[in-house]
């Protein structure tokens, strides 16, 4: 990572301005963020988020899959060998390299793991942080920004980015999934020197991640968790910058996961090829509101509006049905209990 001259100067001036005792306190108060994704540790979006969160003063530890793991949901895969059996994403790590490791320039803040998004988060929490960061407490797990949106209850279980997020919430750690509309599978190494390009989607989204995270921390007292236990947040960004020049600073909209335009995977048989094709699953059940504020717009409908808006939906990992639903089902099974 390159530090630009103004950043170096501003760090120096802060250091000079603060007496030693305060500096120590500041270090202790530095919030720690574990950063992961499903597009791999060398993806452009996650590296931009790492850079901007670090510049914003957070201690950021990046721990993400060595390979592209989109659509791997919450699966928990761990390496069965000490070395990689194939190249990682963009061949940034290669067949035969260790199955886990960090940036070669002794940067122990940036790690890869030959696993899934969920297990890469666990690798960061259970191995990297105890071994390299004195078992420091992680205040927030940030995942993404994903390359491509991850919208609605229909994609909740499928997305690896969201899978890493709900696995963090299972552990009682506040977590947010971010997904961008910039779906190109970009290697950060192809964009070196464009860190200050304010129309590059990855840079715009990284700044929006910082704005979101700053807001979350600003409103929390140091004693309590950032989010109520069992909850996490799913954020989706619209097209920005070069992908939509009219949108450089999207507005935040508070939304819900289910509702209109929610969809999931489906398939149809293709007589010509004798094979199946994937299709969109627009099912009525995905539009129903049972929990939460039914007056909120669905995240899928807000993104579909293409109105330079980012969605913010709160989910719960208490997957139980409502009491009413549960008692209806129980009565259908009466005789068993
Ligand atoms: C990385 O760390 C090792 C061991 O501390 C040291 O020998 C080596 O010079 C360092 N390399 C770089 C590029 O800083
Ligand atoms: C590591 O953490 C322990 C317990 O919080 C603390 O006493 C110790 O000073 C820390 N060490 C370093 C090097 O930060
Ligand atoms: C959501 O994420 C998965 C992978 O995490 C991706 O394959 C899928 O295309 C995304 N869904 C949508 C609706 O873009
Ligand atoms: C898409 O990603 C590839 C791989 O990093 C990169 O070379 C290319 O420039 C990207 N295209 C766009 C439009 O960003
Ligand atoms: C959160 O911060 C905003 C902006 O500073 C403020 O308006 C709001 O009242 C705060 N909410 C809480 C619960 O602290
Ligand atoms: C429970 O569900 C039934 C059937 O959908 C509905 O008629 C009833 O109003 C619900 N009761 C409560 C307390 O929500």
């Amino acid at each position: 990572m390159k530090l630009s001259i103004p950043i170096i100067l501003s760090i120096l001036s802060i250091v000079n301005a603060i007496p030693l005792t305060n500096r120590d306190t500041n270090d202790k108060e530095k919030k720690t963020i574990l950063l992961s994704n499903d597009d791999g540790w060398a993806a452009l979006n996650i590296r931009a988020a790492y850079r901007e969160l670090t510049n914003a003063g957070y201690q950021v530890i990046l721990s993400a899959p060595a390979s592209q793991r989109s659509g791997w949901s919450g699966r928990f895969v761990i390496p069965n060998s000490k070395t990689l059996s194939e190249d990682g994403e963009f061949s940034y790590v290669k067949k035969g390299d260790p199955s886990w490791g960090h940036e070669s320039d002794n940067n122990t803040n940036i790690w890869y793991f030959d696993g899934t998004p969920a297990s890469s988060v666990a690798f960061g929490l259970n191995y990297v942080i105890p071994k390299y960061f004195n078992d420091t407490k992680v205040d927030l797990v940030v995942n993404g920004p994903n390359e491509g949106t991850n919208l609605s209850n229909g994609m909740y279980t499928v997305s690896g980015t969201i899978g890493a997020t709900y696995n963090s919430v299972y552990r009682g750690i506040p977590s947010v999934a971010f997904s961008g509309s910039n779906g190109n599978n970009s290697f950060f190494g192809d964009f070196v020197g464009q860190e200050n390009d304010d129309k590059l989607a990855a840079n715009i989204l990284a700044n929006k991640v910082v704005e979101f995270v700053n807001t979350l921390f600003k409103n929390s007292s140091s004693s309590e968790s950032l989010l109520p236990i069992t909850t996490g947040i799913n954020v989706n960004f619209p097209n920005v910058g070069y992908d939509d020049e009219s949108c450089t600073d999207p507005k935040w909209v508070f939304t819900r996961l289910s509702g209109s335009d929610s969809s999931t995977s489906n398939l149809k048989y293709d007589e010509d090829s004798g094979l199946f094709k994937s299709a969109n699953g627009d099912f009525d059940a995905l539009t129903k509101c049972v929990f939460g504020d039914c007056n909120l717009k669905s995240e899928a409908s807000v993104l579909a509006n293409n109105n330079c808006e980012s969605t913010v939906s709160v989910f719960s990992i208490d997957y139980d049905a409502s009491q009413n639903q549960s008692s209806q089902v129980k009565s259908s099974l009466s005789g068993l209990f």
Side-chain angles (χ1 to χ4, degrees):
M1 192 189 70
K2 283 182 191 149
L3 283 179
S4 67
I5 289 184
I7 291 162
I8 293 171
L9 287 178
S10 68
I11 291 171
L12 287 178
S13 57
I14 291 167
V15 168
N16 285 338
I18 301 172
L20 193 62
T21 45
N22 287 356
R23 221 193 294 159
D24 287 346
T25 320
N26 267 12
D27 281 350
K28 265 184 222 125
E29 282 171 3
K30 206 168 195 182
K31 299 296 185 187
T32 299
I33 294 175
L34 186 79
L35 180 62
S36 195
N37 73 351
D38 69 14
D39 297 310
W41 76 313
L44 174 64
N45 277 0
I46 193 174
R47 293 300 181 114
Y50 174 84
R51 183 186 71 234
E52 294 308 329
L53 286 166
T54 301
N55 287 346
Y58 297 101
Q59 167 167 266
V60 187
I61 299 149
L62 187 161
S63 173
S67 303
Q68 173 57 255
R69 291 284 181 252
S70 280
W72 282 61
S73 65
R75 275 189 68 186
F76 202 93
V77 176
I78 55 181
N80 55 13
S81 149
K82 285 185 182 168
T83 53
L84 297 174
S85 58
E86 52 189 54
D87 285 5
E89 180 76 335
F90 311 116
S91 295
Y92 190 52
V93 281
K94 299 208 164 49
K95 181 178 174 173
D97 282 348
S99 292
W100 56 91
H102 58 78
E103 274 291 7
S104 52
D105 58 351
N106 283 1
N107 184 341
T108 53
N109 282 69
I110 301 185
W111 289 78
Y112 70 91
F113 184 66
D114 186 24
T116 47
S119 66
S120 297
V121 167
F123 165 75
L125 294 170
N126 295 7
Y127 179 84
V128 173
I129 290 178
K131 212 171 152 95
Y132 292 84
F133 293 91
N134 197 23
D135 221 358
T136 188
K137 171 177 165 268
V138 171
D139 299 291
L140 179 68
V141 175
V142 169
N143 295 298
N146 188 57
E147 295 169 345
T149 53
N150 274 128
L151 292 165
S152 92
N153 44 354
M155 290 317 297
Y156 175 88
T157 44
V158 175
S159 160
T161 303
I162 301 179
T165 306
Y166 56 71
N167 267 275
S168 308
V169 178
Y170 293 160
R171 303 172 71 122
I173 307 176
S175 186
V176 185
F178 291 96
S179 300
S181 292
N182 59 335
N184 185 47
N185 200 208
S186 303
F187 172 47
F188 83 97
D190 290 341
F191 292 82
V192 171
Q194 296 178 46
E195 291 79 2
N196 295 320
D197 183 339
D198 59 10
K199 284 191 176 162
L200 191 66
N203 295 343
I204 295 173
L205 301 188
N207 284 311
K208 298 308 284 184
V209 168
V210 169
E211 180 188 335
F212 190 92
V213 167
N214 280 348
T215 306
L216 208 50
F217 277 109
K218 193 180 63 187
N219 270 341
S220 78
S221 73
S222 54
S223 57
E224 62 193 33
S225 171
L226 285 181
L227 297 173
I229 192 153
T230 74
T231 63
I233 303 179
N234 188 38
V235 174
N236 278 275
F237 295 114
N239 274 317
V240 293
Y242 293 122
D243 302 327
D244 177 355
E245 300 233 7
S246 71
C247 184
T248 51
D249 188 17
K251 279 200 310 277
W252 302 102
V253 182
F254 198 61
T255 49
R256 51 179 293 113
L257 282 156
S258 72
S260 55
D261 294 305
S262 295
S263 70
T264 191
S265 315
N266 198 7
L267 58 76
K268 57 173 182 252
Y269 182 66
D270 182 39
E271 296 285 354
D272 295 336
S273 67
L275 287 169
F276 294 91
K277 280 184 176 166
S278 59
N280 223 26
D282 296 316
F283 302 119
D284 196 40
L286 294 170
T287 68
K288 299 294 179 213
C289 179
V290 177
F291 301 104
D293 181 352
C294 296
N295 292 317
L296 295 175
K297 286 184 184 158
S298 69
E299 51 189 19
S301 69
V302 169
L303 262 275
N305 272 347
N306 214 7
N307 206 16
C308 196
E309 292 169 325
S310 309
T311 60
V312 179
S313 307
V314 184
F315 66 82
S316 162
I317 50 103
D318 180 353
Y319 299 123
D320 284 279
S322 74
Q323 195 178 345
N324 189 345
Q325 293 173 317
S326 172
S327 56
Q328 286 180 54
V329 174
K330 192 176 178 198
S331 83
S332 310
L333 295 172
S334 61
L336 287 185
F337 312 105

